């Protein structure tokens, strides 16, 4: 069956072929609507252009397994060849290729494996990245790798990026030299409608999404009659099953074929879904039908507006699939599926006013996912190929740092270099954490248990919160003496398995049957991976200790050290304080690892530790001998008000134990004591008003007479002076009554101190041979307070700073009460004094009143 030459992509075939032959333009960016023929035809253009050297292949990267398989099948059929011959595909657990295969459709995970095995891409002549707009992490990584390789030493490598929707600007720049090729294709207008869910009047419950979809289908079936297919988008297999069951019960659906389309179906069922038949169809599909697969004959689309999207789960430090609202761009693509044959209709199962609040498009995975697995792949490939990788969009430094830190803690890299453990880990197509776990399990003889733990750690919680005892969910499965909470989970899983994961039987046990069933599936996958990697799978039930050691290897970055015995409070990495979860049955051990860490809302740097496993320091030493260090650190002891010198045993940055040893270093002790003094927790008794005045005098003089070049004393300088005072002391009692002036005086040279005494003197000499203290202030003029009689014969205010600054005089009565403040005493005598005298003479008759 030859390709339908009428496909729009043939408009650009000549351009593609001439690019393929042009050594100056190694890259292409192809933009054409869904159904134009990108995925099935462009790889054939490559194949037929004769540019692949002997033994070289064209690899087409697909985001979805189902698309990889179906495209390969379609292309093989068009070429009249057997699948797995010239054209093949490879997805996880399914490899349909042979030595003759020259065109191979692969999924992203497989592509990473190929990259790690053959970092120079020696067997690849052309690499096609399809659906690039979805911006999967691996797609970004492969593009970055291929471009770097091409620039370094593979100028002959052809790179083609394809998408139905894409803003070419930054991408063409990144892929330079590149040819942008566009084909418009044919599309018809699609009328978009919005249908909001009903609410059950009695129960007030919202209509389930499958019933909403059935309602929309019913209306559409009436409009379309028997002339067109309806494509329904649902997020996953579960919702698809529910939708099909609902449709099958409705009379309007009689005479229509109802088919499912998603990655977990058998190949036969997948094929059946896209094969045209006699009857009109309702196809219920995941977002494989959004752009990856074109389904002929669709006139109307019903869109639930949801998809299973990978996102980062900070609780577990891994990426998981969660059901999320799709973006407006995705909704646009989905609606477009109805406009291939003629004008179409799209019904969105949400409100129009909600639509504008949806994201414009999905954020690239590289900006939001955990990068551990991708980074490990990159390390492996870089280790062999030594390439300078530039990202199309660089991930956030924090995310990169976190991933590097994790790989280091897992032992995959050391000093930025891949280790032999890391190399082995990379052979597992799973998150590096689980790879490490299975490897450790193999050594400890507990691969079976570890595979189950990995499955349960990765999936949903298999225990439900009981109605009455909300905080004790694993009570029934817990046994005294357990080392890890996973033991309870394993028991719960085994019970559920024995009951065939029957929900009715599981509910009374508070066990989530569906979650167990899902866990059983990933458990199998982990076992298969282990087998392929040559790990020994244990027949016997493993000991709790071997499982606990294994969990330690996988979660050593989540180590907690109890702050004090029985406190249930732990120090964890990153300066966090961790509380042992309330429902943890384990007797609080000194050391533990947590498989889940939840940030406590509203409390900075506080986390809750869930799914914990008791560990021994001895195991840590066995597993990570190089991660221990002994350090000395001075610390202020608030109880005894002194600085102690501690010798600490640390695991990475975490202090495991400490004891007092030796004398603290004097500089550090001074700094720590000064901190306490500045915070006001310790008082220097001799740091009094006179000291403050001395500082103010220095600062005033520095301001009044800059020519003297007296250095002012800032807040920061006070700190230095206080540290000076503290120097030599390690305890408050040595400090309490220490004289501060020696430290203070050091601030000025001898000559400067003399200048201070003459230009900003502490006291003012009065006519009668007595003296008065001058009060200095940085915000107002200096002042003296003097009994009026002592100022007789003085007609001018005293001055400081070589006559530049007038001293304000506060005149006092003989009983030291304030009478008047003046900056011009001559005027006071003339203007105010006569009245003052009259008034005061009566009150103080025995004093002199001139
Ligand atoms: P694109 O990648 O541009 O979306 P494809 O290359 O996937 O387009 O498909 C191009 C055309 O090939 C479709 O419009 C359809 O006519 C046909 N086609 C592709 N796959 C199949 C299939 N499995 N069965 C029938 N027709 C198919
Ligand atoms: Mg395609």
């Amino acid at each position: 069956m030859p390709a339908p030459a009428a496909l729009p992509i043939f408009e650009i075939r000549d351009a593609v072929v001439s690019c393929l032959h042009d050594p100056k333009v190694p890259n292409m960016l192809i933009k054409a609507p869904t159904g134009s023929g990108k995925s099935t035809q462009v790889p054939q253009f490559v194949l037929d252009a004769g540019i692949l050297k002997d033994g070289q292949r064209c690899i087409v990267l697909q985001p979805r397994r189902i698309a990889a398989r179906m495209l390969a099948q379609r292309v093989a059929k068009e070429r009249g060849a057997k699948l797995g011959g010239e054209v093949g595909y490879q997805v996880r657990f399914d490899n349909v290729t042979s030595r003759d295969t020259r065109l191979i459709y692969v999924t992203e995970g497989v592509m990473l494996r190929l990259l790690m095995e053959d970092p120079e891409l020696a067997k690849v002549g052309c690499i096609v990245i399809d659906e690039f707009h979805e911006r999967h992490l691996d797609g970004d990584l492969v593009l970055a790798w291929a471009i770097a390789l091409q620039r370094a030493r593979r100028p002959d490598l052809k790179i083609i990026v394809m998408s139905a929707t894409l803003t070419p600007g930054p991408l063409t720049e990144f892929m330079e030299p590149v040819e942008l090729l566009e084909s418009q294709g044919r599309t018809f207008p699609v009328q978009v409608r919005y249908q909001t869910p009903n609410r059950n009047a009695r129960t007030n419950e919202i209509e389930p999404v499958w019933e909403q979809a059935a309602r929309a289908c019913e209306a559409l079936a009436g409009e379309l009659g028997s002339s067109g297919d309806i494509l329904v988008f649902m997020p996953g297999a579960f919702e698809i099953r529910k939708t099909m069951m609902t449709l099958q019960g409705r009379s309007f659906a009689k005479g229509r074929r109802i088919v499912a389309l998603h990655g977990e179906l058998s190949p036969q069922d997948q094929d059946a879904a896209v094969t045209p038949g006699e009857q009109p169809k309702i196809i219920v599909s995941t977002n494989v039908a959004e752009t990856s697969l074109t389904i002929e004959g669709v006139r109307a689309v019903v869109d639930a507006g949801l998809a299973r999207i990978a996102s980062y789960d900070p609780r577990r430090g891994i990426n998981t699939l969660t059901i999320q609202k799709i973006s407006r761009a995705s909704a646009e693509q989905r609606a477009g599926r109805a406009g291939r044959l003629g004008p179409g209709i799209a019904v969105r199962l949400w409100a129009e006013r909600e639509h504008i609040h949806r994201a414009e498009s999905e954020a690239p995975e590289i900006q939001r996912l955990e990068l551990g697995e991708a980074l490990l792949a990159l390390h492996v490939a870089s280790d062999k190929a030594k390439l300078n990788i530039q990202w199309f969009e660089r991930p956030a430094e924090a995310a990169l740092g976190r991933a590097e830190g994790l790989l280091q803690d897992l032992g995959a890299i050391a000093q930025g270099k891949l280790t032999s453990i890391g190399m082995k880990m990379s052979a597992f197509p799973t998150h590096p954490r689980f790879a490490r776990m299975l490897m450790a399990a193999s050594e400890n003889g507990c691969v079976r248990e570890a595979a189950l733990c990995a499955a349960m750690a990765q999936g949903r919680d298999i225990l439900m919160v009981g109605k009455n005892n909300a905080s004790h969910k694993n009570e029934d499965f817990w046994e005294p003496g357990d080392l890890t909470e996973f033991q309870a989970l394993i028991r719960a899983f085994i019970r559920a398995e024995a009951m065939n994961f029957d929900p009715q039987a599981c509910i009374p046990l508070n066990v989530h049957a569906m979650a167990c069933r899902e866990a059983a599936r990933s458990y199998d996958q982990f076992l298969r991976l282990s087998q392929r990697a040559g790990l020994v799978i244990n027949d016997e039930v493993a000991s709790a200790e071997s499982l606990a050691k294994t969990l330690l290897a996988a979660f050593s970055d989540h180590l907690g050290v109890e702050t004090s015995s029985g406190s249930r409070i732990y120090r964890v990495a990153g300066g966090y304080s961790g509380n042992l979860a309330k429902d943890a049955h384990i007797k609080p051990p000194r050391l533990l690892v947590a498989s889940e860490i939840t940030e406590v809302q509203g409390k900075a740097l506080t986390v809750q530790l869930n799914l914990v496993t008791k560990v021994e320091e001895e195991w840590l030493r066995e597993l990570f001998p190089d991660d221990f260090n002994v350090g000395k650190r001075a610390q202020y002891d608030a109880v005894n008000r002194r600085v102690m010198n501690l010798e600490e045993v640390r695991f990475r940055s975490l202090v495991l134990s400490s004891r007092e040893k030796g004398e603290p270093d004097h500089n550090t002790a001074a700094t720590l004591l000064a901190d306490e003094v500045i915070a006001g927790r310790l008082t220097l008794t001799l740091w009094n008003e006179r000291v403050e005045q001395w500082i103010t005098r220095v600062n005033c003089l520095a301001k009044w007479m800059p020519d003297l070049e007296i250095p002012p004393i800032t807040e920061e300088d006070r700190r230095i002076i206080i540290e000076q005072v503290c120097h030599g002391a390690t305890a408050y009692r040595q400090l309490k009554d220490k004289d501060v002036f020696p430290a203070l005086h050091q601030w000025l040279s001898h000559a400067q101190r003399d200048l201070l005494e003459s230009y900003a003197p502490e006291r003012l000499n009065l006519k009668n041979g007595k003296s008065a203290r001058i009060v200095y202030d940085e915000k107002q003029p200096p002042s003296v307070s003097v009994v009026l009689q002592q100022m007789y014969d003085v007609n001018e205010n005293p001055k400081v700073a070589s006559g530049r600054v007038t001293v304000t005089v506060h005149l006092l009565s003989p009983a030291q009460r304030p009478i008047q403040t003046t900056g011009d005493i001559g005027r006071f005598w003339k203007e105010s004094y006569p009245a003052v005298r009259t008034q005061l003479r009566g009150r103080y008759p025995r004093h002199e009143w001139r």
Side-chain angles (χ1 to χ4, degrees), residues 585-611:
H585 288 262
I586 201 161
K587 181 170 165 283
R590 186 173 88 84
L591 295 176
L592 55 72
V593 287
S595 298
E596 286 182 8
I597 287 190
T598 324
E599 283 196 12
V600 176
Q601 286 281 320
K603 281 195 193 162
L605 291 181
T606 305
V607 294
Q608 182 175 302
L609 307 173
N610 303 308
L611 263 183

Side-chain angles (χ1 to χ4, degrees), residues 260-275:
L261 186 57
H262 60 83
E264 284 156 37
L265 295 175
S266 69
Q268 293 76 19
D269 287 344
Q270 290 177 359
D271 294 343
V274 296
T275 314

Side-chain angles (χ1 to χ4, degrees), residues 4 7 32-41 70-71 74 78 130 274 291-294 296 340:
L7 282 175
T34 305
S36 338
K38 296 184 297 300
S39 309
T40 53
Q41 306 310 316
M70 292 186 83
L71 287 168
R74 167 77 186 175
E78 282 183 7
D130 204 358
V274 296
T291 52
S292 297
L293 298 179
T294 36
E296 298 295 293
R340 280 274 294 149

